[in-house]
Amino acid sequence: MHKSFSAQDSSLKLLRLGERGMITSIHTLRDATAQALRSMGLTPGRTITLEQRFPRFIVRIGNTCHALDETTINAIYVRVIQHSTLSH
């Protein structure tokens, strides 16, 4: 059964540069992806910040940055808790 998400929850890849969110859920059918996320500390309840989108998608958890692949990015759902103040 798939867990639906609320209007406040969105895919990690929809965060804007500099935005911070709380991981609300992980949606993956692959155990290897789930294990990789856990080993990086990317678990529900943790705060994540989008540091860079291109050429690599880089997020920060605490003082640690991680480059994520497309499968991992698509597995993470967040609730935005701080909107970007960067001008584009």
Side-chain angles (χ1 to χ4, degrees):
M1 178 162 86
H2 268 104
K3 178 185 174 227
S4 63
F5 55 92
S6 72
Q8 295 101 350
D9 296 345
S10 63
S11 172
L12 174 63
K13 68 181 173 182
L14 298 178
L15 279 184
R16 293 187 297 257
L17 191 62
E19 277 189 323
R20 192 167 53 152
M22 182 180 64
I23 299 173
T24 56
S25 60
I26 304 295
H27 296 258
T28 182
L29 299 176
R30 298 182 58 208
D31 285 340
T33 301
Q35 287 177 342
L37 290 167
R38 281 192 298 274
S39 72
M40 290 186 276
L42 298 167
T43 56
R46 296 293 307 267
T47 300
I48 189 169
T49 304
L50 179 58
E51 295 288 321
Q52 179 179 306
R53 292 189 78 82
F54 183 82
R56 305 227 27 211
F57 198 97
I58 298 177
V59 297
R60 182 169 36 89
I61 294 279
N63 294 322
T64 307
C65 289
H66 300 283
L68 304 180
D69 62 24
E70 190 71 22
T71 301
T72 306
I73 295 164
N74 290 330
I76 301 171
Y77 282 77
V78 299
R79 179 171 296 135
V80 175
I81 56 177
Q82 179 182 356
H83 291 281
S84 173
T85 57
L86 299 175
S87 59
H88 297 285

Short mmCIF file of all heavy atoms in Angstrom, two decimals, residues 16-71:
data_model
loop_
_atom_site.label_atom_id
_atom_site.label_comp_id
_atom_site.label_asym_id
_atom_site.label_seq_id
_atom_site.Cartn_x
_atom_site.Cartn_y
_atom_site.Cartn_z
N ARG A 16 13.95 24.35 -3.79
CA ARG A 16 14.76 25.36 -4.48
C ARG A 16 16.10 25.49 -3.76
O ARG A 16 16.22 25.16 -2.58
CB ARG A 16 14.02 26.69 -4.48
CG ARG A 16 12.77 26.65 -5.35
CD ARG A 16 12.13 28.02 -5.49
NE ARG A 16 11.68 28.57 -4.23
CZ ARG A 16 10.41 28.60 -3.82
NH1 ARG A 16 9.46 28.11 -4.57
NH2 ARG A 16 10.09 29.13 -2.66
N LEU A 17 17.07 26.00 -4.47
CA LEU A 17 18.41 26.18 -3.92
C LEU A 17 18.34 26.97 -2.61
O LEU A 17 17.70 28.02 -2.56
CB LEU A 17 19.28 26.93 -4.94
CG LEU A 17 20.77 26.98 -4.65
CD1 LEU A 17 21.36 25.58 -4.61
CD2 LEU A 17 21.47 27.82 -5.68
N GLY A 18 18.95 26.45 -1.57
CA GLY A 18 18.98 27.11 -0.28
C GLY A 18 17.80 26.77 0.62
O GLY A 18 17.80 27.13 1.80
N GLU A 19 16.78 26.09 0.08
CA GLU A 19 15.62 25.74 0.92
C GLU A 19 15.98 24.61 1.86
O GLU A 19 16.78 23.74 1.54
CB GLU A 19 14.42 25.33 0.07
CG GLU A 19 13.64 26.50 -0.42
CD GLU A 19 12.33 26.11 -1.07
OE1 GLU A 19 12.27 25.08 -1.76
OE2 GLU A 19 11.38 26.87 -0.90
N ARG A 20 15.31 24.65 3.00
CA ARG A 20 15.50 23.62 4.01
C ARG A 20 14.17 22.92 4.24
O ARG A 20 13.12 23.57 4.24
CB ARG A 20 15.99 24.27 5.31
CG ARG A 20 16.48 23.28 6.32
CD ARG A 20 17.22 23.96 7.43
NE ARG A 20 16.43 25.04 8.02
CZ ARG A 20 16.56 25.45 9.26
NH1 ARG A 20 17.45 24.91 10.05
NH2 ARG A 20 15.81 26.42 9.72
N GLY A 21 14.23 21.63 4.43
CA GLY A 21 13.01 20.87 4.68
C GLY A 21 13.26 19.75 5.67
O GLY A 21 14.42 19.39 5.94
N MET A 22 12.18 19.22 6.20
CA MET A 22 12.27 18.05 7.07
C MET A 22 11.86 16.84 6.25
O MET A 22 10.83 16.87 5.57
CB MET A 22 11.35 18.19 8.27
CG MET A 22 11.47 17.00 9.22
SD MET A 22 10.38 17.13 10.65
CE MET A 22 8.78 17.09 9.88
N ILE A 23 12.66 15.79 6.31
CA ILE A 23 12.33 14.57 5.60
C ILE A 23 11.09 13.97 6.26
O ILE A 23 11.09 13.72 7.46
CB ILE A 23 13.50 13.56 5.61
CG1 ILE A 23 14.72 14.18 4.92
CG2 ILE A 23 13.08 12.25 4.96
CD1 ILE A 23 15.98 13.34 5.02
N THR A 24 10.03 13.79 5.47
CA THR A 24 8.78 13.24 6.02
C THR A 24 8.63 11.76 5.73
O THR A 24 8.03 11.04 6.51
CB THR A 24 7.56 13.99 5.46
OG1 THR A 24 7.59 13.92 4.04
CG2 THR A 24 7.55 15.43 5.93
N SER A 25 9.18 11.32 4.60
CA SER A 25 9.06 9.90 4.25
C SER A 25 10.06 9.52 3.18
O SER A 25 10.60 10.37 2.46
CB SER A 25 7.64 9.58 3.79
OG SER A 25 7.30 10.35 2.65
N ILE A 26 10.29 8.22 3.10
CA ILE A 26 11.16 7.63 2.08
C ILE A 26 10.31 6.66 1.29
O ILE A 26 9.68 5.77 1.86
CB ILE A 26 12.35 6.88 2.73
CG1 ILE A 26 13.15 7.79 3.68
CG2 ILE A 26 13.22 6.23 1.67
CD1 ILE A 26 13.86 8.94 3.02
N HIS A 27 10.27 6.84 -0.03
CA HIS A 27 9.48 5.97 -0.91
C HIS A 27 10.43 5.24 -1.84
O HIS A 27 10.90 5.82 -2.82
CB HIS A 27 8.50 6.80 -1.75
CG HIS A 27 7.47 7.51 -0.95
ND1 HIS A 27 6.19 7.06 -0.83
CD2 HIS A 27 7.54 8.64 -0.19
CE1 HIS A 27 5.50 7.89 -0.05
NE2 HIS A 27 6.30 8.84 0.35
N THR A 28 10.77 4.02 -1.51
CA THR A 28 11.63 3.23 -2.38
C THR A 28 11.25 1.76 -2.28
O THR A 28 10.84 1.29 -1.23
CB THR A 28 13.12 3.43 -2.05
OG1 THR A 28 13.90 2.66 -2.97
CG2 THR A 28 13.47 3.00 -0.64
N LEU A 29 11.37 1.08 -3.40
CA LEU A 29 11.11 -0.36 -3.42
C LEU A 29 12.40 -1.15 -3.32
O LEU A 29 12.37 -2.37 -3.25
CB LEU A 29 10.38 -0.73 -4.72
CG LEU A 29 9.02 -0.06 -4.91
CD1 LEU A 29 8.43 -0.43 -6.27
CD2 LEU A 29 8.06 -0.45 -3.79
N ARG A 30 13.53 -0.45 -3.30
CA ARG A 30 14.83 -1.12 -3.26
C ARG A 30 15.46 -1.02 -1.88
O ARG A 30 15.67 0.08 -1.37
CB ARG A 30 15.76 -0.50 -4.31
CG ARG A 30 15.22 -0.67 -5.73
CD ARG A 30 16.16 -0.11 -6.76
NE ARG A 30 17.45 -0.76 -6.65
CZ ARG A 30 18.60 -0.20 -6.99
NH1 ARG A 30 18.62 1.02 -7.47
NH2 ARG A 30 19.73 -0.85 -6.86
N ASP A 31 15.77 -2.16 -1.29
CA ASP A 31 16.42 -2.18 0.02
C ASP A 31 17.77 -1.48 -0.01
O ASP A 31 18.14 -0.80 0.93
CB ASP A 31 16.61 -3.61 0.52
CG ASP A 31 15.31 -4.23 1.00
OD1 ASP A 31 14.37 -3.48 1.32
OD2 ASP A 31 15.25 -5.47 1.06
N ALA A 32 18.51 -1.62 -1.13
CA ALA A 32 19.83 -1.00 -1.23
C ALA A 32 19.72 0.52 -1.14
O ALA A 32 20.55 1.17 -0.50
CB ALA A 32 20.51 -1.41 -2.53
N THR A 33 18.69 1.09 -1.78
CA THR A 33 18.49 2.54 -1.71
C THR A 33 18.16 2.96 -0.29
O THR A 33 18.72 3.93 0.23
CB THR A 33 17.38 2.99 -2.68
OG1 THR A 33 17.73 2.60 -4.01
CG2 THR A 33 17.15 4.49 -2.62
N ALA A 34 17.26 2.23 0.37
CA ALA A 34 16.89 2.56 1.75
C ALA A 34 18.10 2.46 2.68
O ALA A 34 18.29 3.32 3.54
CB ALA A 34 15.77 1.62 2.22
N GLN A 35 18.92 1.44 2.50
CA GLN A 35 20.12 1.28 3.33
C GLN A 35 21.11 2.42 3.10
O GLN A 35 21.70 2.94 4.04
CB GLN A 35 20.79 -0.06 3.06
CG GLN A 35 20.03 -1.23 3.63
CD GLN A 35 20.68 -2.56 3.30
OE1 GLN A 35 21.50 -2.66 2.39
NE2 GLN A 35 20.30 -3.60 4.02
N ALA A 36 21.28 2.81 1.84
CA ALA A 36 22.19 3.92 1.52
C ALA A 36 21.71 5.21 2.18
O ALA A 36 22.52 5.96 2.74
CB ALA A 36 22.30 4.09 0.01
N LEU A 37 20.40 5.46 2.13
CA LEU A 37 19.84 6.66 2.75
C LEU A 37 20.09 6.65 4.26
O LEU A 37 20.51 7.66 4.84
CB LEU A 37 18.35 6.78 2.45
CG LEU A 37 18.01 7.11 1.00
CD1 LEU A 37 16.54 6.90 0.74
CD2 LEU A 37 18.43 8.53 0.67
N ARG A 38 19.82 5.52 4.90
CA ARG A 38 20.04 5.41 6.35
C ARG A 38 21.51 5.64 6.69
O ARG A 38 21.82 6.33 7.67
CB ARG A 38 19.58 4.06 6.88
CG ARG A 38 18.08 3.97 7.06
CD ARG A 38 17.68 2.74 7.86
NE ARG A 38 18.06 1.49 7.21
CZ ARG A 38 17.32 0.85 6.30
NH1 ARG A 38 16.14 1.33 5.94
NH2 ARG A 38 17.74 -0.27 5.75
N SER A 39 22.43 5.08 5.89
CA SER A 39 23.86 5.22 6.19
C SER A 39 24.33 6.67 6.07
O SER A 39 25.29 7.07 6.71
CB SER A 39 24.69 4.31 5.29
OG SER A 39 24.72 4.79 3.97
N MET A 40 23.64 7.47 5.25
CA MET A 40 23.97 8.89 5.11
C MET A 40 23.23 9.75 6.13
O MET A 40 23.41 10.96 6.17
CB MET A 40 23.61 9.38 3.70
CG MET A 40 24.50 8.83 2.62
SD MET A 40 24.12 9.57 1.02
CE MET A 40 22.75 8.57 0.46
N GLY A 41 22.36 9.14 6.94
CA GLY A 41 21.60 9.90 7.92
C GLY A 41 20.36 10.55 7.34
O GLY A 41 19.76 11.41 7.96
N LEU A 42 19.97 10.13 6.13
CA LEU A 42 18.78 10.68 5.47
C LEU A 42 17.57 9.86 5.87
O LEU A 42 17.16 8.93 5.18
CB LEU A 42 18.98 10.69 3.95
CG LEU A 42 20.14 11.56 3.46
CD1 LEU A 42 20.46 11.28 2.02
CD2 LEU A 42 19.81 13.02 3.65
N THR A 43 17.00 10.20 7.01
CA THR A 43 15.88 9.46 7.57
C THR A 43 14.76 10.43 7.96
O THR A 43 15.02 11.62 8.17
CB THR A 43 16.32 8.67 8.82
OG1 THR A 43 16.90 9.57 9.75
CG2 THR A 43 17.34 7.59 8.47
N PRO A 44 13.52 9.94 8.03
CA PRO A 44 12.41 10.82 8.42
C PRO A 44 12.69 11.54 9.73
O PRO A 44 13.24 10.96 10.67
CB PRO A 44 11.23 9.85 8.53
CG PRO A 44 11.56 8.78 7.54
CD PRO A 44 13.05 8.59 7.67
N GLY A 45 12.33 12.83 9.74
CA GLY A 45 12.55 13.66 10.92
C GLY A 45 13.81 14.50 10.84
O GLY A 45 13.95 15.48 11.58
N ARG A 46 14.73 14.15 9.95
CA ARG A 46 15.97 14.92 9.80
C ARG A 46 15.76 16.13 8.92
O ARG A 46 14.96 16.11 7.99
CB ARG A 46 17.08 14.05 9.19
CG ARG A 46 17.53 12.86 9.99
CD ARG A 46 18.23 13.20 11.30
NE ARG A 46 19.36 14.10 11.16
CZ ARG A 46 20.62 13.73 11.00
NH1 ARG A 46 20.94 12.46 10.92
NH2 ARG A 46 21.58 14.65 10.91
N THR A 47 16.51 17.19 9.19
CA THR A 47 16.46 18.41 8.39
C THR A 47 17.48 18.32 7.27
O THR A 47 18.62 17.90 7.49
CB THR A 47 16.74 19.64 9.27
OG1 THR A 47 15.76 19.69 10.30
CG2 THR A 47 16.70 20.92 8.46
N ILE A 48 17.07 18.71 6.07
CA ILE A 48 17.91 18.62 4.87
C ILE A 48 17.87 19.96 4.16
O ILE A 48 16.84 20.62 4.11
CB ILE A 48 17.40 17.47 3.97
CG1 ILE A 48 18.35 17.18 2.83
CG2 ILE A 48 16.00 17.73 3.48
CD1 ILE A 48 18.02 15.88 2.09
N THR A 49 19.02 20.40 3.64
CA THR A 49 19.11 21.66 2.91
C THR A 49 19.66 21.40 1.51
O THR A 49 20.65 20.67 1.37
CB THR A 49 20.05 22.65 3.63
OG1 THR A 49 19.60 22.83 4.97
CG2 THR A 49 20.10 24.00 2.92
N LEU A 50 19.03 21.98 0.50
CA LEU A 50 19.53 21.83 -0.86
C LEU A 50 20.65 22.85 -1.08
O LEU A 50 20.43 24.05 -1.04
CB LEU A 50 18.41 22.05 -1.88
CG LEU A 50 18.83 21.95 -3.34
CD1 LEU A 50 19.45 20.58 -3.64
CD2 LEU A 50 17.65 22.21 -4.25
N GLU A 51 21.86 22.35 -1.27
CA GLU A 51 23.04 23.19 -1.45
C GLU A 51 23.34 23.48 -2.91
O GLU A 51 23.85 24.54 -3.24
CB GLU A 51 24.26 22.52 -0.81
CG GLU A 51 24.16 22.37 0.69
CD GLU A 51 24.30 23.69 1.41
OE1 GLU A 51 25.11 24.51 1.00
OE2 GLU A 51 23.57 23.89 2.40
N GLN A 52 23.09 22.50 -3.79
CA GLN A 52 23.45 22.64 -5.20
C GLN A 52 22.57 21.72 -6.03
O GLN A 52 22.25 20.62 -5.61
CB GLN A 52 24.92 22.24 -5.37
CG GLN A 52 25.45 22.30 -6.77
CD GLN A 52 26.92 21.90 -6.82
OE1 GLN A 52 27.74 22.47 -6.11
NE2 GLN A 52 27.23 20.90 -7.63
N ARG A 53 22.17 22.21 -7.21
CA ARG A 53 21.35 21.40 -8.13
C ARG A 53 22.15 20.88 -9.32
O ARG A 53 21.84 19.83 -9.86
CB ARG A 53 20.19 22.23 -8.67
CG ARG A 53 19.15 22.60 -7.64
CD ARG A 53 17.94 23.23 -8.31
NE ARG A 53 17.09 22.24 -8.91
CZ ARG A 53 16.18 21.52 -8.25
NH1 ARG A 53 16.01 21.69 -6.97
NH2 ARG A 53 15.45 20.64 -8.88
N PHE A 54 23.13 21.65 -9.76
CA PHE A 54 23.85 21.32 -10.98
C PHE A 54 25.32 21.67 -10.81
O PHE A 54 25.62 22.70 -10.21
CB PHE A 54 23.24 22.12 -12.16
CG PHE A 54 23.86 21.78 -13.49
CD1 PHE A 54 23.44 20.67 -14.19
CD2 PHE A 54 24.86 22.57 -14.02
CE1 PHE A 54 24.02 20.34 -15.41
CE2 PHE A 54 25.45 22.25 -15.23
CZ PHE A 54 25.02 21.13 -15.92
N PRO A 55 26.27 20.90 -11.27
CA PRO A 55 26.11 19.69 -12.09
C PRO A 55 25.72 18.46 -11.28
O PRO A 55 25.31 17.45 -11.83
CB PRO A 55 27.48 19.51 -12.73
CG PRO A 55 28.43 20.11 -11.75
CD PRO A 55 27.68 21.25 -11.11
N ARG A 56 25.84 18.53 -9.95
CA ARG A 56 25.40 17.42 -9.10
C ARG A 56 24.40 17.94 -8.09
O ARG A 56 24.47 19.07 -7.65
CB ARG A 56 26.61 16.82 -8.35
CG ARG A 56 27.69 16.42 -9.30
CD ARG A 56 28.34 15.10 -9.16
NE ARG A 56 27.60 14.03 -8.57
CZ ARG A 56 28.19 13.07 -7.89
NH1 ARG A 56 29.47 13.10 -7.67
NH2 ARG A 56 27.49 12.09 -7.40
N PHE A 57 23.46 17.09 -7.71
CA PHE A 57 22.45 17.43 -6.71
C PHE A 57 23.08 17.18 -5.34
O PHE A 57 23.36 16.03 -5.00
CB PHE A 57 21.22 16.54 -6.94
CG PHE A 57 19.97 17.06 -6.29
CD1 PHE A 57 19.06 17.80 -7.03
CD2 PHE A 57 19.70 16.80 -4.96
CE1 PHE A 57 17.89 18.27 -6.45
CE2 PHE A 57 18.53 17.26 -4.38
CZ PHE A 57 17.63 18.00 -5.12
N ILE A 58 23.34 18.24 -4.59
CA ILE A 58 24.02 18.11 -3.30
C ILE A 58 23.13 18.65 -2.18
O ILE A 58 22.58 19.74 -2.28
CB ILE A 58 25.37 18.86 -3.31
CG1 ILE A 58 26.29 18.22 -4.37
CG2 ILE A 58 26.03 18.83 -1.92
CD1 ILE A 58 27.62 18.89 -4.53
N VAL A 59 23.00 17.83 -1.13
CA VAL A 59 22.21 18.22 0.04
C VAL A 59 23.11 18.21 1.27
O VAL A 59 24.14 17.54 1.29
CB VAL A 59 21.01 17.27 0.26
CG1 VAL A 59 20.04 17.35 -0.90
CG2 VAL A 59 21.46 15.85 0.51
N ARG A 60 22.67 18.96 2.28
CA ARG A 60 23.40 19.00 3.55
C ARG A 60 22.49 18.49 4.65
O ARG A 60 21.33 18.89 4.77
CB ARG A 60 23.86 20.42 3.87
CG ARG A 60 24.66 20.50 5.17
CD ARG A 60 25.36 21.83 5.38
NE ARG A 60 24.64 22.99 4.91
CZ ARG A 60 23.77 23.68 5.65
NH1 ARG A 60 23.47 23.31 6.87
NH2 ARG A 60 23.17 24.75 5.14
N ILE A 61 23.04 17.59 5.46
CA ILE A 61 22.40 17.11 6.68
C ILE A 61 23.38 17.45 7.79
O ILE A 61 24.50 16.94 7.80
CB ILE A 61 22.17 15.58 6.65
CG1 ILE A 61 21.17 15.19 5.58
CG2 ILE A 61 21.75 15.06 8.01
CD1 ILE A 61 19.73 15.36 5.98
N GLY A 62 23.00 18.36 8.68
CA GLY A 62 23.93 18.79 9.72
C GLY A 62 25.14 19.46 9.08
O GLY A 62 24.99 20.38 8.29
N ASN A 63 26.33 18.95 9.38
CA ASN A 63 27.56 19.51 8.82
C ASN A 63 28.10 18.68 7.66
O ASN A 63 29.22 18.91 7.22
CB ASN A 63 28.64 19.60 9.91
CG ASN A 63 28.27 20.60 10.98
OD1 ASN A 63 27.70 21.65 10.67
ND2 ASN A 63 28.58 20.29 12.23
N THR A 64 27.33 17.73 7.18
CA THR A 64 27.79 16.82 6.13
C THR A 64 27.01 17.03 4.85
O THR A 64 25.78 17.12 4.87
CB THR A 64 27.62 15.35 6.59
OG1 THR A 64 28.27 15.19 7.86
CG2 THR A 64 28.21 14.39 5.59
N CYS A 65 27.73 17.08 3.72
CA CYS A 65 27.09 17.21 2.41
C CYS A 65 27.15 15.87 1.67
O CYS A 65 28.12 15.12 1.82
CB CYS A 65 27.78 18.28 1.58
SG CYS A 65 27.45 19.95 2.17
N HIS A 66 26.11 15.59 0.90
CA HIS A 66 26.04 14.36 0.12
C HIS A 66 25.59 14.68 -1.30
O HIS A 66 24.65 15.46 -1.49
CB HIS A 66 25.01 13.39 0.72
CG HIS A 66 25.32 12.98 2.12
ND1 HIS A 66 26.28 12.06 2.43
CD2 HIS A 66 24.78 13.38 3.30
CE1 HIS A 66 26.32 11.89 3.74
NE2 HIS A 66 25.42 12.70 4.30
N ALA A 67 26.24 14.06 -2.27
CA ALA A 67 25.79 14.13 -3.67
C ALA A 67 24.85 12.95 -3.87
O ALA A 67 25.18 11.81 -3.53
CB ALA A 67 26.98 14.04 -4.61
N LEU A 68 23.65 13.23 -4.40
CA LEU A 68 22.64 12.18 -4.55
C LEU A 68 22.39 11.85 -6.02
O LEU A 68 22.42 12.74 -6.86
CB LEU A 68 21.32 12.63 -3.91
CG LEU A 68 21.39 13.04 -2.44
CD1 LEU A 68 20.00 13.47 -1.96
CD2 LEU A 68 21.94 11.92 -1.58
N ASP A 69 22.09 10.58 -6.27
CA ASP A 69 21.73 10.18 -7.63
C ASP A 69 20.21 10.29 -7.81
O ASP A 69 19.48 10.54 -6.85
CB ASP A 69 22.23 8.77 -7.95
CG ASP A 69 21.63 7.69 -7.06
OD1 ASP A 69 20.52 7.90 -6.50
OD2 ASP A 69 22.25 6.63 -6.93
N GLU A 70 19.76 10.13 -9.03
CA GLU A 70 18.33 10.32 -9.36
C GLU A 70 17.42 9.40 -8.56
O GLU A 70 16.37 9.81 -8.08
CB GLU A 70 18.13 10.10 -10.87
CG GLU A 70 16.76 10.51 -11.36
CD GLU A 70 16.53 12.01 -11.38
OE1 GLU A 70 17.51 12.78 -11.42
OE2 GLU A 70 15.36 12.42 -11.37
N THR A 71 17.81 8.13 -8.38
CA THR A 71 16.99 7.18 -7.61
C THR A 71 16.81 7.65 -6.17
O THR A 71 15.72 7.62 -5.63
CB THR A 71 17.65 5.78 -7.63
OG1 THR A 71 17.77 5.35 -8.98
CG2 THR A 71 16.83 4.77 -6.84
#
